[in-house]
Amino acid sequence: MLYDSSFAAVGIFAGFVLGVLVLSFYLGRKKQSAKGYYAAHGQIHWAVNGVAFAGDYLSAASFLGICGMIAFYGFDGFLYSIGYLAGWIVALFVIAEPIKRLGKFTFADALDSRFNSRGIQLAAAISTLVVSVFYLIPQMVGAGALITPLLGLPHYAGVLIVGVVVTLIVVTAGMVSTTWVQFIKGSLLVFFCAILTLMILNRGLTTDPEAESHEPVNIIAADSIPAERIMAAEGPWADLPFVRVVNPGNLLHPIVYRKLDDGRLAEAQVMRVTTDTTGSQVVWVNGKVQGRGEGEGDLYPVGSVLELPDGQTETGALGPAEFFKVFGESTIATWSKQVVHESDRVVTTVYYPKPTKGSDLLVPGQYFKGVQSDSFTDKLDFVSLMLALFCGTASLPHILIRYYTVKDQASARKSTIVGIAAIGFFYILTLYLGLGAMTSGAMDPTSTNMAAPLLAKSFNDYLFAIISAIAFTTVLGTVSGLIMAGSGAVAHDLCENVFKIPMTDEKKVLYGKAAALLLGVGAMILGILFKKFNVSFLVGWAFNIAASANLPALVMLLFWKRTTKQGIAAAIIVGMISSLGWILLSGQTYANVYGLNPADSPVPFSQPGLVTIPLGFITLIVVSLLTPKPEHSVAEELAEQQEGDNDQ
Amino acid sequence: MTTPPHHEDHPHIVSRNARYGLILFAVYVVLYGGFIYLAVFATHQLSRPWFGGVNLAVGYGFGLIFAALILALIYMFLCRSRHHHS
């Protein structure tokens, strides 16, 4: 769909970015120590840190991705909310306090606190960098995707704006400004999503949404079309569930209907991209050239309630529980797409509605088909994803470093609880936002990522501008956290501890800033290169790699006395390489990245966590047993460490 | 508002905190595992109406989020009460 940029959106967006930069320069005006740059002096208040956790964690994938997935597939998107939140339980109950107790600036510090091993520092730094980069790319690509509708600028401009702003934030005041940016973003996101949810409940459900240029779903009886107008189902259309009907007013562009299960036909929207002999392309939408000029057209926005219970046309305001009850008893038009390669020069994408029972959209299975399939490996794929989400959060380096910004374990604990409250509340809202978007009549059938901003647009343009600007700040907050984590891994872990470059306090800050600058530039380049990459895919990679590489090392260090430094380094490397390798060989990657047949993939299911997380644990146990036992037990080490800390 | 660091860092307190953390973690694992079990092996159970017309999938999903918060608060309370006793 084409979007109009609005002055309100540009103004609000510019205000947000300027505000964030001014705050950063204000906080960065003092001369900095290493503890200030990497850990905000360890003096951030726990409540601020807790909201900053939410700001750090609720990335573009959480906000845009989950809302979009719920808007198109219903409850399956909410499974991500459940899994992402459950991960915080691992963080709070298992990881938070020891990490705070053992470390100083980075996650590698905590792992290496007992051993003083360059191998561990190197392995942990590499895994931090790999996870951070895999997490960075989708954020940058998301920024580019957002800037197009918001400001009417090309994709690369969005990537460059985020890259420059974030690098400035991190380089000026390090973790202090990063924390405040995340705090502001976290508060705004949760607050405005709550407002949006109240507006959804107040509007209720209706079969005739007021969204601009909305057209009702056209469902007709199969025999209402004269047989002579129906085109033969041949070539690439042969086995597809579509009926093409000659359009007397536009013979080159037939009308396409989707066959429904009950025999009726639902009119689809058609986008055809034709390429001429000179290589120039024309995009046709529903028979017209795509555009805003005379005689041109565009896809119309979609997503509506087809039938409400008891023949109602609108429900009026609904309560939080009543919303789900009425939704479950309604029939909703959900939209899917089918790409048809008609020839080398003509590619047609059919966007078609499907009447779906609301009750089916409120249980798993619309997206994760494996849940309802009889195949055991399909079911394992789903279990594996839920395991990776559960284990991944507590292993993400940019989340772990936030434990060093508070003064003690009690503060670490309290800030995690504030984080869980804020993030949990937000995730509950995602279900209302997603289902509200699904029935708003404002969805772009070509993009799941735009569901939340377009939902806001169905209320008014100012809300659209605010939600879009918040989504953009969402990217800023998460990217700055990731660049901080990467800068610590390069300067503190690699340069200081692995390569043993002697560093004064000032030099440590200088190296950190230089690393942040390099990472910022690298992120911009990757964000532009990976423009067409499926972003949710990369987030899944980051979670799987983090869980497989980092979690076994963290958990076993804390709970198994026999853990050795060789065991930790081996577990990180094996976990990282095996999960990465599995993903590169998975059916999903075969289909989406290489364009190969997913059935040729050598691995039985796509999500590696179920295999590679246990593999990390086994590697650690086997290598530890094969190497000499460490001199002290964990408990003794912890006690010594604490006494040392207390003496300072 | 926050407890002095030396109390929190005492090895005795540390290990008791850790034990409570693991027990509460185990409780949540059972709840989370139950949800995944239902989603994978008994999806039809999740479509049953549960509370106020809300089905079990939504109820259980929201329940998991509330349970996380409640367990977190219990944990904070346990850690704090131990500190007072010590």
Side-chain angles (χ1 to χ4, degrees):
Chain A
M1 270 170 62
L2 302 172
Y3 299 93
D4 296 318
S5 63
S6 80
F7 282 112
V10 175
I12 291 173
F13 169 73
F16 266 58
V17 171
L18 266 178
V20 163
L21 281 177
V22 167
L23 180 76
S24 239
F25 283 115
Y26 172 75
L27 294 169
R29 71 197 186 286
K30 289 184 205 150
K31 191 168 171 289
Q32 284 167 346
S33 64
K35 194 160 169 42
Y37 178 76
Y38 291 109
H41 309 281
Q43 288 302 327
I44 297 287
H45 189 273
W46 55 266
V48 173
N49 204 55
V51 179
F53 264 132
D56 213 349
Y57 194 59
L58 298 175
S59 66
S62 273
F63 178 45
L64 301 177
I66 292 179
C67 287
M69 206 161 161
I70 297 173
F72 280 77
Y73 301 101
F75 192 84
D76 282 1
F78 189 61
L79 289 169
Y80 276 96
S81 293
I82 293 171
Y84 283 140
L85 187 85
W88 282 92
I89 287 293
V90 187
L92 174 65
F93 291 152
V94 186
I95 304 292
E97 293 177 48
I99 272 279
K100 172 66 188 162
R101 215 160 43 231
L102 296 174
K104 194 172 172 196
F105 295 148
T106 64
F107 143 76
D109 282 346
L111 277 187
D112 196 35
S113 62
R114 297 173 56 206
F115 300 111
N116 196 19
S117 150
R118 285 166 82 169
I120 292 182
Q121 290 277 357
L122 182 65
I126 292 173
S127 111
T128 298
L129 278 175
V130 168
V131 174
S132 297
V133 167
F134 274 114
Y135 218 103
L136 260 177
I137 299 169
Q139 307 298 331
M140 299 302 276
V141 175
L146 263 175
I147 205 82
T148 309
L150 186 61
L151 305 184
L153 294 171
H155 180 275
Y156 70 85
V159 175
L160 292 180
I161 292 174
V162 169
V164 170
V165 173
V166 165
T167 309
L168 278 174
I169 292 169
V170 175
V171 169
T172 48
M175 201 59 178
V176 181
S177 53
T178 299
T179 301
W180 284 101
V181 167
Q182 290 169 346
F183 172 78
I184 294 168
K185 165 211 147 173
S187 318
L188 286 172
L189 185 64
V190 174
F191 178 74
F192 277 99
C193 286
I195 300 265
L196 206 50
T197 302
L198 288 177
M199 291 172 85
I200 291 168
L201 293 175
N202 187 48
R203 178 163 73 182
L205 295 167
T206 163
T207 53
D208 185 24
E210 290 168 7
E212 280 176 42
S213 71
H214 166 76
E215 293 189 21
V217 175
N218 183 21
I219 297 177
I220 56 172
D223 57 9
S224 63
I225 301 171
E228 65 273 15
R229 281 182 58 197
I230 296 178
M231 296 168 68
E234 55 191 13
W237 296 92
D239 298 321
L240 299 177
F242 297 108
V243 173
R244 290 177 304 152
V245 176
V246 174
N247 180 0
N250 191 344
L251 292 173
L252 286 173
H253 297 278
I255 301 167
V256 179
Y257 291 88
R258 171 73 153 85
K259 292 180 198 164
L260 301 178
D261 294 342
D262 61 7
R264 293 183 300 164
L265 301 174
E267 187 175 341
Q269 302 200 66
V270 180
M271 182 182 264
R272 295 179 89 200
V273 181
T274 56
T275 312
D276 67 16
T277 46
T278 63
S280 68
Q281 289 189 328
V282 180
V283 180
W284 303 82
V285 175
N286 297 331
K288 295 176 179 170
V289 173
Q290 187 177 34
R292 287 286 161 81
E294 183 97 1
E296 295 176 332
D298 194 12
L299 294 168
Y300 57 84
V302 301
S304 54
V305 181
L306 292 176
E307 283 169 28
L308 283 167
D310 308 323
Q312 299 174 84
T313 54
E314 59 180 24
T315 61
L318 292 169
E322 201 183 5
F323 180 81
F324 294 116
K325 181 174 184 285
V326 176
F327 187 94
E329 293 167 357
S330 306
T331 305
I332 316 292
T334 55
W335 286 72
S336 308
K337 72 169 182 182
Q338 170 91 45
V339 179
V340 184
H341 292 271
E342 297 202 60
S343 71
D344 289 346
R345 299 193 181 283
V346 181
V347 177
T348 298
T349 309
V350 183
Y351 298 96
Y352 59 90
K354 185 180 165 218
T356 310
K357 281 184 190 165
S359 55
D360 289 344
L361 290 164
L362 292 178
V363 289
Q366 296 288 322
Y367 182 83
F368 296 110
K369 304 276 186 205
V371 169
Q372 295 185 358
S373 107
D374 293 331
S375 153
F376 189 65
T377 50
D378 285 353
K379 288 179 188 290
L380 285 184
D381 192 39
F382 170 77
V383 174
S384 191
L385 173 71
M386 294 308 280
L387 182 71
L389 297 182
F390 190 48
C391 298
T393 302
S395 325
L396 291 173
H398 69 293
I399 297 297
L400 292 172
I401 58 168
R402 188 142 287 294
Y403 284 113
Y404 301 123
T405 59
V406 290
K407 63 176 180 179
D408 53 26
Q409 289 100 287
S411 302
R413 192 162 59 227
K414 281 188 247 179
S415 62
T416 312
I417 293 167
V418 172
I420 288 177
I423 295 166
F425 179 58
F426 173 80
Y427 279 150
I428 285 179
L429 299 181
T430 58
L431 194 54
Y432 291 99
L433 295 177
L435 297 179
M438 184 187 262
T439 52
S440 66
M443 293 298 91
D444 177 351
T446 66
S447 166
T448 57
N449 287 335
M450 286 305 290
L454 288 174
L455 165 70
K457 196 172 185 153
S458 75
F459 289 102
N460 63 60
D461 276 348
Y462 288 104
L463 201 56
F464 171 67
I466 292 171
I467 292 289
S468 301
I470 290 173
F472 205 81
T473 336
T474 294
V475 179
L476 293 184
T478 307
V479 171
S480 47
L482 288 164
I483 290 192
M484 259 329 289
S487 123
V490 171
H492 179 68
D493 300 338
L494 283 181
C495 294
E496 191 181 2
N497 293 334
V498 177
F499 303 128
K500 302 288 180 195
I501 299 171
M503 287 202 196
T504 58
D505 206 55
E506 278 178 5
K507 213 170 170 187
K508 236 188 239 183
V509 177
L510 192 68
Y511 268 70
K513 290 185 174 183
L517 192 63
L518 281 177
L519 282 163
V521 172
M524 286 186 251
I525 296 170
L526 290 171
I528 294 169
L529 288 180
F530 278 72
K531 180 188 167 185
K532 296 204 167 164
F533 221 86
N534 180 325
V535 295
S536 60
F537 215 65
L538 286 162
V539 174
W541 284 15
F543 265 80
N544 272 295
I545 298 168
S548 308
N550 300 346
L551 193 77
L554 274 171
V555 170
M556 295 306 272
L557 172 75
L558 301 174
F559 297 104
W560 194 42
K561 293 174 188 171
R562 188 65 180 77
T563 304
T564 66
K565 59 185 178 185
Q566 293 89 345
I568 289 183
I572 294 175
I573 298 295
V574 169
M576 183 169 65
I577 293 175
S578 62
S579 53
L580 199 56
W582 185 291
I583 290 163
L584 293 175
L585 294 174
S586 71
Q588 268 188 334
T589 315
Y590 264 51
N592 296 352
V593 183
Y594 312 138
L596 298 172
N597 180 3
D600 293 341
S601 153
V603 294
F605 47 87
S606 290
Q607 300 288 341
L610 195 61
V611 174
T612 54
I613 296 171
L615 185 66
F617 278 102
I618 292 169
T619 306
L620 190 144
I621 292 169
V622 170
V623 174
S624 292
L625 289 176
L626 292 174
T627 44
K629 193 177 172 183
E631 288 172 14
H632 300 293
S633 73
V634 180
E636 283 167 332
E637 282 287 338
L638 289 179
E640 281 170 20
Q641 165 102 13
Q642 282 135 24
E643 278 161 27
D645 286 349
N646 296 338
D647 292 342
Q648 284 170 4
Chain B
M1 191 160 46
T2 53
T3 51
H6 59 281
H7 284 160
E8 281 282 330
D9 281 350
H10 192 282
H12 181 60
I13 298 288
V14 165
S15 67
R16 288 185 71 182
N17 276 7
R19 200 178 320 131
Y20 276 109
L22 287 179
I23 292 168
L24 292 169
F25 174 72
V27 171
Y28 197 81
V29 167
V30 170
L31 294 175
Y32 188 74
F35 180 78
I36 293 173
Y37 176 83
L38 285 178
V40 173
F41 296 106
T43 317
H44 59 280
Q45 292 285 340
L46 287 178
S47 58
R48 284 210 333 246
W50 177 67
F51 175 75
V54 177
N55 73 11
L56 185 61
V58 174
Y60 204 148
F62 281 9
L64 279 174
I65 291 174
F66 283 118
L69 186 60
I70 289 165
L71 290 177
L73 290 171
I74 292 174
Y75 181 57
M76 190 168 75
F77 175 77
L78 287 174
C79 293
R80 185 178 287 177
S81 65
R82 265 199 318 288
H83 164 241
H84 289 313
H85 291 310
S86 67

